[in-house]
Amino acid sequence: MAIIFNEKDKIFNIQTKNSSLVFGIYKDKLPVMLHYGKRLKDTYDIKKTLDFTMVKGTAHNAVLKDFDNEFSTEIVSTLYPTYGNTDLRNPAISIVQNNGTMCSSFYYKSHKIIKGKNKIEGLPQTYVQDGDNVESLELCLYDDIDNIELILNYSAFYDYDIITQSVKVINKSDKEIKIDRIMSASVDLKHKNLDFIHLQGAWCHECHIQRVPVMTGGMTIDSKRGCSSPNHNPFFALADKCANEDMGEVYGFNLIYSGNFVAGVEVDSIKTTRAYIGINPFNFGWTLEAGESFTTPEAMMNYSCEGLGKMSDNFHKIIRKRICRGKYRDIRRPLLLNNWEATYFDFDEEKLLKIAKKAKETGIELFVLDDGWFGKRNTDNCSLGDWYVNKEKLPSGIDGLAKKVNDLGLKFGLWFEPETICVDSDLYRAHPDWCIHIEGRPQNECRNELLLDLSRDEVCDYVIDIMSKNLSEANISYVKWDMNRSMSDIGSCGFAPERQCEIAHRYILGLYRIMDTLTKKFPDVLFEGCASGGARFDAGILYYFPQIWTSDCSDAVERMFIQHGASLVYPTSAMSAHVSASPNHQVKRSVSMKTRGNVAMCGTFGYELDLNKLTEEEMEEVNNQIKIYEDVVNITQQGTMYRLLSPYEQSYVAWEYVSEDEQKVVVMLGIVLRQGGIRWDTTKLILKGLDKDADYVLENTGEVYSGDFLMNFGLYKQLYQDFDTELLIFKKVK
């Protein structure tokens, strides 16, 4: 069983194969957090510690009147802390009552344990398939004074070592209330001396690892940009000071959401660490009329006592298998060529077909037409929203071009930016009120764009209709779904003044409705997410689209850092990565074709250049890469990943992938900048996840090594030039 209820002592044990989240119902009333960490087989001995846990506060700590002044919830860890009573730390929830006050006390009412998991309407989420060992707890709490019901939904994915949580608020009163703050998960940890690990960055510099000590007080990461943002990913981990890839305790938290979020910790005076993650309360408020409810996005909690590597493996597996969905979840994605960096806006049908023909000759399977095919789009200052073909550029139309590409033996893909609108567009001239804006204030543009107001049903219906029309009228196998601006000047003429703080979240709900409708209507289309690269690289998008353009920076050296960081949470199959021109268009760095290919193969592989402009030597390398890709793609995208060497800690980077059947191993070794003399810059590759009693042949050289040797002694390797890489392929000897 994944969830055990000790009825005698009123203690719940939410278990995975290596972790437990344990809480009790104190005096049949108050849910109290007791343990999150290593798996506890049973909880019968915990009762002995409860009297010690329920301690009174000091002179500065208020005590609960409901429990005969026994203790303070500022000292005791309640399961889901509320604001306004005796806990004066960051609450998980705060509700403004009809009388203007902000105080809630939620006590135990009932619970239900079920096999599997209930669906969360309107939001991305983890899901269950037949045969999964998953149980869910629905814990119902109630505030008797204000008649508000709070339901904490936990699901234990036993074999994936993941516990998920979402929260539902139901207004059972006859008066209006307003949710001011609501976290998807909040956990108090008694663990001391932790490090805070998160992924920070910027455009073209996403998912860089930052690790800092947790100090008394508070530290947060967040987004106020309307998207999960390139600045901070909706993930963080708390790790032992000594924790590394292979050892030490790590607590990982990830929010399945694509909008404004907050995540962080608060450490109090007695060194209790409160970890929380959820919708950002900044510029958020949600009004609930009598009988209405609100449900949070789902959070994933991931405990590892085997370091960061095990935490990542847990996240990789559940995202790949129980968040990603559809036809492309488990199969090899087509090898593509995107024309953007080859032509930008300067193309016609003849130029595109010339690039496509060359792509076919190399073994590429999918040709993607990027921005510039619609309206009068020759620069980025017009036509977004006008999703009809520019016949001056493409006289055969999209359907005609798609057929010509298909006749070459290639699939055809198309770029859209469905969420945005240009002032210079037919759509804006027809519906100037359809954009996010504040009446009477200037409409500030970003990249000459405004955002469509997806909080409104009629706007969402338009996007669904126009996308459906385009996808129905041509043989389109792939869609690159882009979004190139953050949310500003947030307002909607579709909602009353008192509901304007709901717009950012309603936008995301509208976006999810559009994505859900289109992916169900066109199940054979491979959708790829993009938001100026990695501005919406999150598990929420991956529920609808199985891969995301990881960054607009396609430079292989920068991608070593980006893809290494992203792998803390996200699987290789989610990271779209392309070989582009050299010098690179974003950072102007020159890198060999070999290195560009080796790094991009550690993602969903593709090209973004004009193959006709390559030298014979470069084309020979491209042909070689495609042969190697066919051999390694199922290993890198579906296998178990190990981070062997970190570019954040040294000049080398190394990633290892072990196939699902454990028969083949791929290692990508790279160097950023050489250090010192030749003798000083040798590194040692110690592999992981092998059979110590088996032998492995290194296919590059024919040399045979034992698994025991590779995992305990390893290989000395040296790369002799800056930005060099080597791809090593091992095969288990039967």
Side-chain angles (χ1 to χ4, degrees):
M1 290 191 298
I3 298 178
I4 300 170
F5 177 54
N6 175 349
E7 189 168 2
K8 178 176 177 291
D9 295 329
K10 297 291 188 294
I11 294 175
F12 294 85
N13 185 357
I14 303 174
Q15 292 183 334
T16 70
K17 61 184 176 183
N18 291 302
S19 70
S20 281
L21 192 154
V22 181
F23 65 91
I25 308 299
Y26 184 65
K27 292 197 170 181
D28 296 330
K29 193 169 185 179
L30 183 68
V32 175
M33 180 79 187
L34 299 173
H35 169 78
Y36 180 42
K38 289 183 180 179
R39 180 172 174 250
L40 300 180
K41 186 174 66 174
D42 59 56
T43 59
Y44 293 102
D45 291 333
I46 285 184
K47 182 67 174 177
K48 301 171 186 175
T49 72
L50 286 181
D51 290 337
F52 298 100
T53 304
M54 304 303 152
V55 293
K56 291 184 179 180
T58 67
H60 294 285
N61 301 119
V63 290
L64 277 177
K65 195 75 172 175
D66 288 344
F67 293 88
D68 301 321
N69 296 333
E70 277 189 30
F71 62 90
S72 169
T73 52
E74 196 165 8
I75 305 299
V76 173
S77 293
T78 51
L79 181 64
Y80 193 75
T82 61
Y83 179 78
N85 44 57
T86 67
D87 188 346
L88 304 179
R89 296 168 291 175
N90 273 328
I93 188 170
S94 57
I95 297 174
V96 181
Q97 313 297 343
N98 188 254
N99 61 7
T101 63
M102 193 183 290
C103 181
S104 301
S105 296
F106 290 102
Y107 296 138
Y108 174 79
K109 180 180 178 183
S110 64
H111 75 272
K112 185 190 301 182
I113 298 173
I114 63 168
K115 288 284 185 184
K117 181 176 183 286
N118 290 325
K119 184 175 174 58
I120 306 170
E121 291 302 323
L123 286 164
Q125 61 205 274
T126 54
Y127 61 90
V128 177
Q129 289 191 175
D130 290 344
D132 285 351
N133 185 3
V134 177
E135 288 188 338
S136 297
L137 168 67
E138 185 181 280
L139 185 72
C140 182
L141 311 179
Y142 205 82
D143 185 320
D144 290 321
I145 295 173
D146 291 308
N147 289 316
I148 304 171
E149 190 169 79
L150 185 68
I151 299 174
L152 307 183
N153 291 294
Y154 296 92
S155 293
F157 285 77
Y158 189 89
D159 296 322
Y160 288 91
D161 251 353
I162 295 287
I163 296 170
T164 68
Q165 182 179 357
S166 65
V167 178
K168 185 175 184 178
V169 180
I170 306 171
N171 183 6
K172 297 267 186 165
S173 75
D174 58 0
K175 299 175 182 177
E176 174 188 287
I177 62 172
K178 184 177 181 180
I179 301 170
D180 181 67
R181 175 187 177 95
I182 183 164
M183 295 295 101
S184 296
S186 178
V187 179
D188 280 9
L189 304 172
K190 299 299 182 183
H191 206 301
K192 296 177 176 62
N193 296 319
L194 294 166
D195 282 345
F196 186 89
I197 302 171
H198 68 111
L199 301 176
Q200 59 85 30
W203 175 71
C204 279
H205 190 73
E206 299 89 341
C207 289
H208 278 236
I209 299 172
Q210 187 171 77
R211 181 170 181 164
V212 294
V214 172
M215 298 176 289
T216 301
M219 52 197 310
T220 64
I221 57 172
D222 75 350
S223 173
K224 307 176 189 72
R225 307 179 72 90
C227 56
S228 49
S229 93
N231 306 86
H232 299 287
N233 196 270
F235 149 81
F236 73 99
L238 298 172
D240 274 339
K241 293 287 185 186
C242 64
N244 57 27
E245 286 290 333
D246 305 306
M247 60 173 285
E249 288 190 288
V250 181
Y251 303 85
F253 301 86
N254 186 239
L255 190 65
I256 309 174
Y257 187 61
S258 309
N260 293 336
F261 76 94
V262 68
V265 293
E266 181 181 12
V267 182
D268 64 17
S269 58
I270 60 172
K271 305 303 182 185
T272 298
T273 300
R274 173 164 293 172
Y276 55 87
I277 192 165
I279 294 174
N280 197 335
F282 179 83
N283 197 31
F284 170 83
W286 198 274
T287 300
L288 287 182
E289 304 289 350
E292 290 184 338
S293 65
F294 179 88
T295 302
T296 70
E298 188 173 39
M300 294 185 285
M301 296 181 284
N302 177 359
Y303 169 79
S304 164
C305 59
E306 300 176 55
L308 291 163
K310 183 61 177 173
M311 178 203 72
S312 296
D313 188 49
N314 292 341
F315 275 135
H316 291 179
K317 286 182 168 62
I318 198 164
I319 289 173
R320 200 171 70 233
K321 295 290 189 180
R322 293 298 177 265
I323 289 180
C324 291
R325 304 176 296 161
K327 174 180 177 178
Y328 293 94
R329 188 190 75 175
D330 299 324
I331 66 173
R332 182 179 75 78
R333 318 279 165 74
L335 175 59
L336 66 81
L337 184 142
N338 183 301
N339 78 297
W340 178 241
E341 290 191 21
T343 67
Y344 293 101
F345 293 110
D346 182 19
F347 63 81
D348 56 22
E349 187 175 281
E350 181 181 358
K351 184 183 285 191
L352 295 176
L353 290 173
K354 184 179 178 183
I355 296 172
K357 184 178 180 181
K358 189 69 172 180
K360 174 58 182 176
E361 292 172 2
T362 66
I364 288 170
E365 302 157 301
L366 168 66
F367 176 78
V368 179
L369 173 56
D370 210 281
D371 196 354
W373 60 268
F374 53 92
K376 54 181 183 180
R377 182 85 161 173
N378 293 307
T379 64
D380 67 4
N381 64 0
C382 68
S383 300
L384 287 172
D386 298 342
W387 299 108
Y388 50 84
V389 68
N390 182 333
K391 285 292 187 76
E392 291 183 11
K393 283 184 176 181
L394 304 173
S396 300
I398 291 299
D399 55 337
L401 176 62
K403 185 179 186 307
K404 290 177 183 180
V405 170
N406 294 158
D407 289 344
L408 291 173
L410 294 168
K411 295 181 179 180
F412 179 75
L414 199 57
W415 177 96
F416 291 88
E417 193 172 346
E419 302 167 58
T420 56
I421 184 173
C422 288
V423 172
D424 184 5
S425 68
D426 293 340
L427 181 63
Y428 184 85
R429 284 183 280 272
H431 298 285
D433 63 320
W434 274 16
C435 61
I436 295 277
H437 69 286
I438 300 172
E439 201 67 37
R441 286 192 173 273
Q443 294 181 351
N444 296 308
E445 299 177 28
C446 175
R447 200 174 178 258
N448 302 300
E449 300 173 9
L450 300 169
L451 275 176
L452 285 173
D453 186 357
L454 301 189
S455 68
R456 296 167 60 181
D457 287 340
E458 64 270 31
V459 180
C460 293
D461 291 339
Y462 164 79
V463 175
I464 291 169
D465 290 344
I466 198 66
M467 289 292 292
S468 297
K469 183 177 187 295
N470 277 283
L471 294 177
S472 299
E473 291 180 350
N475 189 21
I476 297 170
S477 301
Y478 162 102
V479 167
K480 181 177 178 181
W481 184 296
D482 209 346
M483 191 279 287
N484 281 304
R485 66 156 296 166
S486 299
M487 190 180 293
S488 64
D489 316 295
I490 302 174
S492 172
C493 59
F495 291 87
E498 62 272 17
R499 289 189 175 267
Q500 292 300 308
C501 287
E502 300 177 8
I503 302 306
H505 181 59
R506 287 188 181 274
Y507 178 98
I508 297 298
L509 294 179
L511 175 66
Y512 288 154
R513 178 167 80 86
I514 293 168
M515 290 179 169
D516 192 55
T517 301
L518 291 173
T519 52
K520 287 176 178 175
K521 192 172 182 179
F522 301 96
D524 293 328
V525 173
L526 171 59
F527 287 84
E528 176 177 298
C530 178
S532 296
R536 228 166 35 191
F537 197 101
D538 57 66
I541 295 298
L542 289 171
Y543 181 73
Y544 304 100
F545 303 164
Q547 63 190 52
I548 302 172
W549 182 229
T550 320
S551 175
D552 275 349
C553 186
S554 55
D555 170 59
V557 178
E558 175 65 23
R559 277 301 190 102
M560 291 179 188
F561 291 87
I562 291 172
Q563 291 171 211
H564 190 93
S567 75
L568 277 184
V569 196
Y570 303 102
T572 299
S573 60
M575 299 183 216
S576 187
H578 294 171
V579 175
S580 60
S582 183
N584 177 264
H585 290 192
Q586 291 81 44
V587 301
K588 310 304 179 186
R589 183 163 28 222
S590 294
V591 177
S592 71
M593 178 62 75
K594 182 184 75 168
T595 287
R596 284 176 274 159
N598 286 344
V599 173
M601 268 190 262
C602 298
T604 56
F605 189 45
Y607 291 85
E608 192 152 337
L609 42 68
D610 188 345
L611 295 172
N612 294 291
K613 294 180 180 179
L614 300 185
T615 65
E616 288 186 15
E617 183 181 2
E618 288 174 322
M619 279 306 304
E620 185 178 340
E621 181 63 37
V622 168
N623 291 326
N624 184 52
Q625 286 172 359
I626 291 174
K627 290 176 184 175
I628 294 172
Y629 171 74
E630 294 297 335
D631 190 34
V632 305
V633 57
N634 289 329
I635 305 168
T636 58
Q637 293 189 14
Q638 301 296 327
T640 299
M641 180 191 183
Y642 299 92
R643 291 179 296 271
L644 305 183
L645 300 171
S646 169
Y648 295 92
E649 298 170 3
Q650 58 190 310
S651 57
Y652 277 96
V653 59
W655 307 322
E656 178 190 357
Y657 305 88
V658 179
S659 64
E660 284 186 296
D661 63 7
E662 301 181 344
Q663 296 301 303
K664 296 198 77 171
V665 179
V666 175
V667 177
M668 202 295 293
L669 174 68
I671 191 168
V672 181
L673 295 175
R674 285 189 52 77
Q675 305 294 318
I678 290 177
R679 291 186 178 181
W680 296 353
D681 216 11
T682 299
T683 192
K684 199 173 188 182
L685 278 179
I686 298 178
L687 274 58
K688 302 176 184 179
L690 308 185
D691 181 348
K692 65 181 178 63
D693 297 319
D695 287 336
Y696 293 82
V697 59
L698 176 56
E699 294 186 348
N700 308 60
T701 64
E703 296 169 314
V704 177
Y705 303 91
S706 71
D708 178 69
F709 176 84
L710 291 171
M711 289 193 296
N712 294 306
F713 185 84
L715 298 176
Y716 282 101
K717 299 295 294 183
Q718 190 175 55
L719 299 175
Y720 296 98
Q721 297 178 0
D722 293 346
F723 320 138
D724 198 7
T725 57
E726 188 174 355
L727 202 68
L728 305 175
I729 302 175
F730 296 86
K731 186 174 182 180
K732 191 174 184 180
V733 179
K734 296 182 180 179

